[in-house]
Amino acid sequence: MRGDEGGLMTEHLTMNTVIHAAFRRDLTRFDTALAAFPDGSRERADQLIAAWDNYAHQLHHHHQDEETIFWPAFRELGADESLTSDLGGEHARMLAALEHADEVVRRLPGDPSSARAADARAAVAQLGEVLLEHLAHEEADLEPWSATMMDTPQMKAARGAVRKAHQGESGTFVAWLLDGAAPEDVAGLKREIPAPVVTVLNTIPGRHYRKNIASVWTS
Ligand SMILES: [Fe+2]
């Protein structure tokens, strides 16, 4: 469920909004880190690129999973075609903004200046605008209905297909979802993945994320 316009979650009904919360956290982190970028620091630029790689990867996969796995299942279950088509249009706009931000952010290591960091910050803010609006729309108009469909065979199969599509990536995924997560986000994650499995994934396969990316936000 969505709270105010800041996107505060009060309760997660599905994994979808747990993932959205991680996207929102990262937008804020990039904004803060790029605003404070130390002029001339190639080292900081490389750290931010490592975090950006993960962000772009997670964003691509999340939206691809929706378009190719979840939404077809929702349509089969009777979801409003015009809604998934509107959301699909928002994905296209989001991908264009992501491509632009990707190009601008990746200029930073070659020229790790405050000016380039400011360009990158503006491009990420543009992406943020499109993305936040899309996430809010999805949460308001699709999530309440889709949450009631989670126990259907179609949705069970869809979740299985997503797990299969991302085999070998669960550690990074879980570590990313846990990084800076609010208690309700952690609770939401553990509704979807049993708590002991979350712990194991975060501890060993999630080590790469924790060591190389979570550290970017604490340095
Ligand atoms: Fe989406």
Side-chain angles (χ1 to χ4, degrees):
M1 300 271 277
R2 228 182 137 249
D4 61 16
E5 70 284 355
L8 292 175
M9 299 290 170
T10 50
E11 185 197 356
H12 294 286
L13 302 177
T14 71
M15 184 68 118
N16 191 38
T17 55
V18 177
I19 299 170
H20 288 185
F23 286 132
R24 290 186 172 104
R25 284 197 295 276
D26 271 357
L27 279 177
T28 305
R29 287 164 166 155
F30 280 111
D31 188 66
T32 306
L34 289 165
F37 189 81
D39 193 28
S41 175
R42 173 69 197 257
E43 191 191 350
R44 187 60 178 153
D46 287 342
Q47 289 174 356
L48 292 176
I49 292 296
W52 180 259
D53 282 340
N54 180 65
Y55 190 69
H57 179 82
Q58 300 293 351
L59 200 47
H60 273 296
H61 280 272
H62 179 62
H63 293 282
Q64 273 164 12
D65 289 346
E66 287 181 336
E67 287 180 23
T68 62
I69 299 172
F70 286 119
W71 294 355
F74 289 157
R75 283 192 288 265
E76 208 184 307
L77 289 162
D80 181 352
E81 292 270 352
S82 70
L83 174 60
T84 51
S85 137
D86 286 352
L87 293 170
E90 290 173 12
H91 276 190
R93 283 195 290 286
M94 194 271 308
L95 278 176
L98 176 61
E99 248 171 64
H100 173 67
D102 194 65
E103 199 189 308
V104 177
V105 168
R106 289 186 191 285
R107 290 183 199 143
L108 198 55
D111 175 10
S113 60
S114 300
R116 283 279 179 247
D119 293 344
R121 189 181 178 212
V124 174
Q126 262 178 24
L127 167 64
E129 240 174 74
V130 181
L131 178 58
L132 291 176
E133 196 183 314
H134 166 66
L135 298 180
H137 183 195
E138 206 176 276
E139 287 166 10
D141 290 354
L142 181 63
E143 184 72 13
W145 175 84
S146 67
T148 67
M149 296 289 148
M150 287 297 145
D151 292 333
T152 60
Q154 286 90 336
M155 289 314 298
K156 286 181 182 166
R159 290 203 294 282
V162 167
R163 275 195 299 275
K164 204 172 161 199
H166 301 295
Q167 257 171 11
E169 295 182 27
S170 317
T172 294
F173 181 60
V174 161
W176 172 62
L177 292 177
L178 287 173
D179 184 17
E184 64 267 28
D185 304 332
V186 178
L189 176 63
K190 290 178 178 174
R191 275 175 51 140
E192 293 293 319
I193 305 176
V197 179
V198 167
T199 303
V200 169
L201 286 171
N202 186 44
T203 305
I204 304 175
R207 188 169 173 272
H208 178 270
Y209 175 92
R210 288 185 291 108
K211 187 165 176 272
N212 298 294
I213 303 174
S215 61
V216 171
W217 308 125
T218 52
S219 64

